[in-house]
Amino acid sequence: MTHSVLITGANGFVGRALSRALLQRGDRVTGAVRRAQTAAEGVREWLLDADDFQGIEPRWPVGLHCDAVIHLASRVHVMHEMIADPLAAYRATNVEGTLRVAAAAHRAGARRFVFVSSIKAVAESSVGEPLTETDEPAPSDPYGISKLEAERALLDYGRRSDLEIVIVRPPLVYGPGVRANFLQLMSALAKGVPLPLGAIAARRSLVFVDNLADALVHCATDPRAAGHTFHVTDGRDLSVSELARALATQLHAPQRLVPVPVGVLRVAGRLTGRTAQIDRLIGELRLDSSHIRERLGWYPPHTVEHGLLETAVWYRATH
Protein backbone atom coordinates (compact mmCIF):
# COMPACT_ATOMS: atom_id res chain seq x y z
CA MET A 1 0.00 0.00 0.00
CA THR A 2 1.35 3.41 -1.03
CA HIS A 3 1.39 6.18 1.56
CA SER A 4 1.74 9.93 1.27
CA VAL A 5 4.09 11.27 3.94
CA LEU A 6 5.14 14.79 4.93
CA ILE A 7 8.52 15.15 6.62
CA THR A 8 9.55 18.30 8.46
CA GLY A 9 13.32 18.70 8.48
CA ALA A 10 13.52 16.51 5.38
CA ASN A 11 16.87 17.97 4.35
CA GLY A 12 18.59 17.06 7.62
CA PHE A 13 20.78 14.10 8.57
CA VAL A 14 17.87 11.83 9.55
CA GLY A 15 15.41 13.43 7.12
CA ARG A 16 17.39 12.50 4.02
CA ALA A 17 17.81 8.87 5.15
CA LEU A 18 14.10 8.68 5.98
CA SER A 19 13.15 10.19 2.62
CA ARG A 20 15.19 7.56 0.79
CA ALA A 21 13.61 4.75 2.82
CA LEU A 22 10.07 5.94 2.01
CA LEU A 23 10.82 6.54 -1.67
CA GLN A 24 12.31 3.06 -2.02
CA ARG A 25 8.96 1.68 -0.81
CA GLY A 26 7.15 3.66 -3.50
CA ASP A 27 5.62 6.17 -1.08
CA ARG A 28 5.03 9.81 -2.01
CA VAL A 29 7.20 12.14 0.07
CA THR A 30 6.85 15.88 0.62
CA GLY A 31 9.58 17.65 2.56
CA ALA A 32 9.02 20.89 4.45
CA VAL A 33 12.35 22.73 4.11
CA ARG A 34 13.64 26.26 4.51
CA ARG A 35 15.89 26.24 1.42
CA ALA A 36 15.13 24.97 -2.09
CA GLN A 37 16.87 21.95 -3.60
CA THR A 38 18.16 20.62 -0.29
CA ALA A 39 16.00 17.50 0.12
CA ALA A 40 16.79 14.06 -1.29
CA GLU A 41 16.14 13.42 -4.98
CA GLY A 42 12.52 12.45 -5.55
CA VAL A 43 11.14 14.48 -2.64
CA ARG A 44 8.55 17.16 -3.44
CA GLU A 45 9.74 20.25 -1.60
CA TRP A 46 7.51 22.64 0.30
CA LEU A 47 9.44 25.84 1.03
CA LEU A 48 8.36 26.88 4.50
CA ASP A 49 10.68 29.51 5.92
CA ALA A 50 8.78 30.32 9.10
CA ASP A 51 10.20 30.54 12.61
CA ASP A 52 8.66 27.89 14.89
CA PHE A 53 6.16 27.01 12.12
CA GLN A 54 4.17 30.19 12.69
CA GLY A 55 1.47 30.60 10.08
CA ILE A 56 1.81 27.04 8.80
CA GLU A 57 -1.93 26.51 8.45
CA PRO A 58 -2.71 29.26 5.92
CA ARG A 59 0.49 28.35 4.04
CA TRP A 60 -0.46 24.69 3.70
CA PRO A 61 -0.27 23.98 -0.06
CA VAL A 62 -3.55 23.42 -1.86
CA GLY A 63 -3.69 19.78 -2.87
CA LEU A 64 -1.18 18.57 -0.27
CA HIS A 65 -2.85 15.58 1.32
CA CYS A 66 -0.79 13.28 3.51
CA ASP A 67 -1.58 10.13 5.43
CA ALA A 68 1.14 10.79 7.99
CA VAL A 69 3.51 13.51 9.15
CA ILE A 70 6.94 12.65 10.55
CA HIS A 71 8.16 15.63 12.55
CA LEU A 72 11.95 15.80 12.66
CA ALA A 73 12.49 19.57 12.71
CA SER A 74 13.49 20.86 16.13
CA ARG A 75 15.79 23.12 18.05
CA VAL A 76 18.59 20.69 18.74
CA HIS A 77 20.82 20.24 21.74
CA VAL A 78 23.50 22.94 21.88
CA MET A 79 26.69 22.28 23.87
CA HIS A 80 27.54 25.93 24.58
CA GLU A 81 24.22 27.77 24.82
CA MET A 82 24.62 31.55 24.58
CA ILE A 83 21.07 32.93 24.79
CA ALA A 84 19.69 34.26 28.09
CA ASP A 85 16.64 32.00 28.34
CA PRO A 86 17.38 28.75 26.48
CA LEU A 87 14.33 26.91 27.84
CA ALA A 88 11.98 29.51 26.33
CA ALA A 89 13.70 29.16 22.95
CA TYR A 90 13.49 25.36 23.08
CA ARG A 91 9.82 25.54 24.05
CA ALA A 92 8.99 27.95 21.23
CA THR A 93 10.29 25.52 18.61
CA ASN A 94 9.97 22.08 20.14
CA VAL A 95 6.64 22.49 21.93
CA GLU A 96 4.67 25.32 20.36
CA GLY A 97 6.05 24.74 16.86
CA THR A 98 5.37 21.02 17.07
CA LEU A 99 1.77 21.61 18.11
CA ARG A 100 1.28 24.03 15.21
CA VAL A 101 2.42 21.35 12.75
CA ALA A 102 0.20 18.71 14.37
CA ALA A 103 -2.89 20.94 14.31
CA ALA A 104 -2.31 22.00 10.69
CA ALA A 105 -1.72 18.39 9.63
CA HIS A 106 -4.90 17.25 11.38
CA ARG A 107 -6.99 19.94 9.69
CA ALA A 108 -5.48 18.93 6.33
CA GLY A 109 -6.64 15.36 6.86
CA ALA A 110 -3.55 13.57 8.16
CA ARG A 111 -4.36 10.49 10.24
CA ARG A 112 -1.03 10.04 12.01
CA PHE A 113 1.68 12.22 13.51
CA VAL A 114 5.07 10.66 14.31
CA PHE A 115 7.11 12.81 16.69
CA VAL A 116 10.84 12.19 16.82
CA SER A 117 11.70 13.02 20.41
CA SER A 118 14.91 12.03 22.21
CA ILE A 119 15.99 9.78 25.04
CA LYS A 120 17.02 13.04 26.73
CA ALA A 121 13.29 13.51 27.40
CA VAL A 122 13.70 10.69 29.94
CA ALA A 123 17.24 10.92 31.32
CA GLU A 124 20.91 11.55 30.58
CA SER A 125 21.96 8.17 31.96
CA SER A 126 20.76 4.75 33.03
CA VAL A 127 21.74 2.97 36.21
CA GLY A 128 22.02 -0.81 36.05
CA GLU A 129 18.90 -1.36 33.94
CA PRO A 130 18.15 0.02 30.45
CA LEU A 131 15.60 2.84 30.23
CA THR A 132 12.10 1.72 29.23
CA GLU A 133 9.16 3.65 27.83
CA THR A 134 7.36 3.38 31.18
CA ASP A 135 10.17 4.86 33.31
CA GLU A 136 9.33 8.13 35.02
CA PRO A 137 10.96 10.88 32.90
CA ALA A 138 13.43 13.21 34.59
CA PRO A 139 15.07 15.35 31.87
CA SER A 140 17.94 17.49 33.08
CA ASP A 141 18.48 20.16 30.43
CA PRO A 142 16.26 22.58 28.47
CA TYR A 143 16.39 20.41 25.33
CA GLY A 144 15.19 17.29 27.16
CA ILE A 145 12.56 19.24 29.10
CA SER A 146 11.15 20.73 25.88
CA LYS A 147 11.02 17.32 24.18
CA LEU A 148 9.13 15.80 27.13
CA GLU A 149 6.70 18.73 27.21
CA ALA A 150 6.11 18.30 23.48
CA GLU A 151 5.42 14.58 23.94
CA ARG A 152 2.83 15.29 26.63
CA ALA A 153 1.21 18.14 24.71
CA LEU A 154 0.92 15.97 21.59
CA LEU A 155 -0.63 13.06 23.49
CA ASP A 156 -3.14 15.48 24.99
CA TYR A 157 -3.91 16.88 21.53
CA GLY A 158 -4.30 13.37 20.19
CA ARG A 159 -6.84 12.56 22.90
CA ARG A 160 -8.83 15.70 22.06
CA SER A 161 -8.73 15.04 18.32
CA ASP A 162 -8.62 11.84 16.30
CA LEU A 163 -5.00 12.35 15.24
CA GLU A 164 -2.95 9.24 15.99
CA ILE A 165 0.25 10.14 17.87
CA VAL A 166 3.40 8.00 17.81
CA ILE A 167 6.49 9.04 19.77
CA VAL A 168 9.99 7.77 18.98
CA ARG A 169 12.92 8.34 21.35
CA PRO A 170 16.28 7.59 19.72
CA PRO A 171 19.64 7.70 21.50
CA LEU A 172 22.70 9.06 19.67
CA VAL A 173 22.18 8.67 15.91
CA TYR A 174 25.19 7.99 13.67
CA GLY A 175 25.79 7.32 10.00
CA PRO A 176 27.02 9.07 6.84
CA GLY A 177 26.63 12.81 7.37
CA VAL A 178 26.84 12.65 11.17
CA ARG A 179 28.01 15.78 12.95
CA ALA A 180 28.95 16.98 16.45
CA ASN A 181 30.68 14.67 18.94
CA PHE A 182 30.61 11.53 16.79
CA LEU A 183 32.31 13.36 13.91
CA GLN A 184 34.89 14.81 16.30
CA LEU A 185 35.64 11.32 17.61
CA MET A 186 36.15 9.98 14.08
CA SER A 187 38.36 12.93 13.19
CA ALA A 188 40.59 12.37 16.23
CA LEU A 189 40.84 8.63 15.55
CA ALA A 190 41.63 9.18 11.87
CA LYS A 191 44.44 11.55 12.82
CA GLY A 192 45.88 9.07 15.31
CA VAL A 193 45.34 11.36 18.30
CA PRO A 194 45.77 9.44 21.60
CA LEU A 195 42.43 9.42 23.44
CA PRO A 196 41.81 8.70 27.16
CA LEU A 197 39.04 6.19 26.40
CA GLY A 198 40.72 2.84 26.95
CA ALA A 199 39.25 2.16 30.41
CA ILE A 200 35.64 3.31 29.86
CA ALA A 201 33.50 0.18 30.24
CA ALA A 202 30.06 1.82 30.54
CA ARG A 203 27.81 0.91 27.62
CA ARG A 204 25.73 3.32 25.59
CA SER A 205 22.94 2.63 23.11
CA LEU A 206 23.28 3.95 19.57
CA VAL A 207 21.15 3.80 16.44
CA PHE A 208 22.39 3.76 12.84
CA VAL A 209 20.52 6.38 10.82
CA ASP A 210 19.15 3.81 8.34
CA ASN A 211 17.86 1.68 11.22
CA LEU A 212 16.10 4.71 12.69
CA ALA A 213 14.65 5.58 9.26
CA ASP A 214 13.30 2.04 8.90
CA ALA A 215 11.70 2.20 12.35
CA LEU A 216 10.10 5.56 11.52
CA VAL A 217 8.60 4.09 8.35
CA HIS A 218 6.97 1.38 10.47
CA CYS A 219 5.74 3.96 12.98
CA ALA A 220 4.15 6.00 10.19
CA THR A 221 2.47 3.10 8.39
CA ASP A 222 1.71 0.28 10.86
CA PRO A 223 -1.78 0.56 12.43
CA ARG A 224 -0.45 -1.10 15.60
CA ALA A 225 1.88 1.83 16.34
CA ALA A 226 -0.90 4.35 17.06
CA GLY A 227 -0.73 5.83 20.54
CA HIS A 228 2.58 4.23 21.47
CA THR A 229 6.01 5.48 22.51
CA PHE A 230 9.05 3.56 21.28
CA HIS A 231 12.74 3.47 22.14
CA VAL A 232 14.74 2.59 19.01
CA THR A 233 18.32 1.26 19.04
CA ASP A 234 20.66 -0.96 17.04
CA GLY A 235 19.94 -3.71 19.58
CA ARG A 236 23.58 -3.99 20.68
CA ASP A 237 25.20 -1.58 23.10
CA LEU A 238 28.92 -0.84 22.88
CA SER A 239 31.18 0.64 25.51
CA VAL A 240 32.88 3.88 24.51
CA SER A 241 36.21 2.07 24.23
CA GLU A 242 34.64 -0.68 22.07
CA LEU A 243 33.07 1.96 19.85
CA ALA A 244 36.36 3.82 19.44
CA ARG A 245 38.25 0.61 18.62
CA ALA A 246 35.62 -0.48 16.10
CA LEU A 247 35.67 2.94 14.42
CA ALA A 248 39.47 3.00 14.31
CA THR A 249 39.43 -0.39 12.59
CA GLN A 250 36.94 0.79 9.97
CA LEU A 251 38.92 4.01 9.45
CA HIS A 252 42.16 2.02 9.01
CA ALA A 253 43.58 4.15 11.82
CA PRO A 254 45.80 3.18 14.78
CA GLN A 255 44.04 2.39 18.06
CA ARG A 256 45.66 4.87 20.43
CA LEU A 257 43.33 4.53 23.42
CA VAL A 258 44.95 5.34 26.73
CA PRO A 259 43.40 3.48 29.73
CA VAL A 260 42.91 6.54 31.97
CA PRO A 261 40.96 5.57 35.13
CA VAL A 262 37.40 6.89 35.23
CA GLY A 263 38.10 8.64 38.57
CA VAL A 264 40.91 10.62 36.98
CA LEU A 265 38.62 11.66 34.12
CA ARG A 266 36.03 12.87 36.64
CA VAL A 267 38.64 15.00 38.42
CA ALA A 268 39.81 16.39 35.09
CA GLY A 269 36.20 17.27 34.26
CA ARG A 270 35.77 19.19 37.49
CA LEU A 271 39.06 21.04 37.05
CA THR A 272 38.25 22.09 33.49
CA GLY A 273 34.57 22.90 34.02
CA ARG A 274 33.52 20.01 31.79
CA THR A 275 31.83 17.78 34.33
CA ALA A 276 28.69 17.37 32.19
CA GLN A 277 30.68 16.37 29.10
CA ILE A 278 32.79 13.88 31.08
CA ASP A 279 29.68 12.40 32.71
CA ARG A 280 28.17 11.84 29.27
CA LEU A 281 31.38 10.20 28.11
CA ILE A 282 31.88 7.81 31.02
CA GLY A 283 28.26 7.22 32.09
CA GLU A 284 25.97 4.39 31.06
CA LEU A 285 23.01 5.22 28.82
CA ARG A 286 21.25 2.06 27.68
CA LEU A 287 17.74 1.86 26.22
CA ASP A 288 15.38 -1.10 26.23
CA SER A 289 14.01 -1.31 22.68
CA SER A 290 11.97 -4.49 23.17
CA HIS A 291 8.61 -2.69 22.99
CA ILE A 292 8.87 -1.85 19.27
CA ARG A 293 9.99 -5.42 18.56
CA GLU A 294 7.07 -6.90 20.47
CA ARG A 295 4.43 -4.41 19.27
CA LEU A 296 5.42 -3.99 15.61
CA GLY A 297 7.70 -6.97 15.00
CA TRP A 298 10.43 -4.49 14.07
CA TYR A 299 14.08 -5.47 14.12
CA PRO A 300 16.97 -3.29 12.96
CA PRO A 301 17.79 -4.28 9.37
CA HIS A 302 21.46 -3.32 9.73
CA THR A 303 24.08 -4.48 12.23
CA VAL A 304 26.26 -2.12 14.25
CA GLU A 305 29.26 -3.29 12.21
CA HIS A 306 27.53 -2.37 8.96
CA GLY A 307 26.50 1.02 10.32
CA LEU A 308 30.02 1.85 11.48
CA LEU A 309 31.49 0.67 8.17
CA GLU A 310 29.09 2.90 6.18
CA THR A 311 29.95 5.84 8.43
CA ALA A 312 33.68 5.27 8.09
CA VAL A 313 33.46 4.90 4.29
CA TRP A 314 31.62 8.23 4.14
CA TYR A 315 34.23 9.88 6.40
CA ARG A 316 37.17 8.62 4.35
CA ALA A 317 35.51 9.83 1.15
CA THR A 318 34.72 13.34 2.42
CA HIS A 319 37.46 14.30 4.89
Side-chain angles (χ1 to χ4, degrees), residues 160-272:
R160 290 184 283 109
S161 67
D162 57 356
L163 184 64
E164 299 172 348
I165 305 296
V166 184
I167 293 166
V168 176
R169 294 174 180 153
L172 188 150
V173 185
Y174 69 96
V178 70
R179 294 286 179 258
N181 292 342
F182 203 96
L183 180 59
Q184 290 175 9
L185 173 61
M186 283 199 296
S187 179
L189 289 166
K191 293 172 183 173
V193 175
L195 298 173
L197 307 178
I200 301 177
R203 296 185 179 277
R204 299 181 74 86
S205 295
L206 305 170
V207 64
F208 177 45
V209 67
D210 287 352
N211 284 339
L212 176 58
D214 190 74
L216 290 173
V217 170
H218 281 72
C219 289
T221 59
D222 191 325
R224 297 171 296 180
H228 284 263
T229 297
F230 298 112
H231 292 175
V232 178
T233 76
D234 283 341
R236 181 163 154 245
D237 303 333
L238 302 178
S239 71
V240 173
S241 57
E242 287 173 339
L243 172 63
R245 288 191 180 94
L247 274 172
T249 299
Q250 302 290 15
L251 289 165
H252 309 314
Q255 297 184 13
R256 293 179 176 152
L257 304 181
V258 183
V260 177
V262 167
V264 174
L265 290 173
R266 282 203 175 94
V267 171
R270 285 197 295 272
L271 292 175
T272 58

Side-chain angles (χ1 to χ4, degrees), residues 61-76:
V62 175
L64 174 56
H65 302 288
C66 54
D67 303 304
V69 174
I70 303 177
H71 186 52
L72 289 166
S74 70
R75 188 173 203 275
V76 297

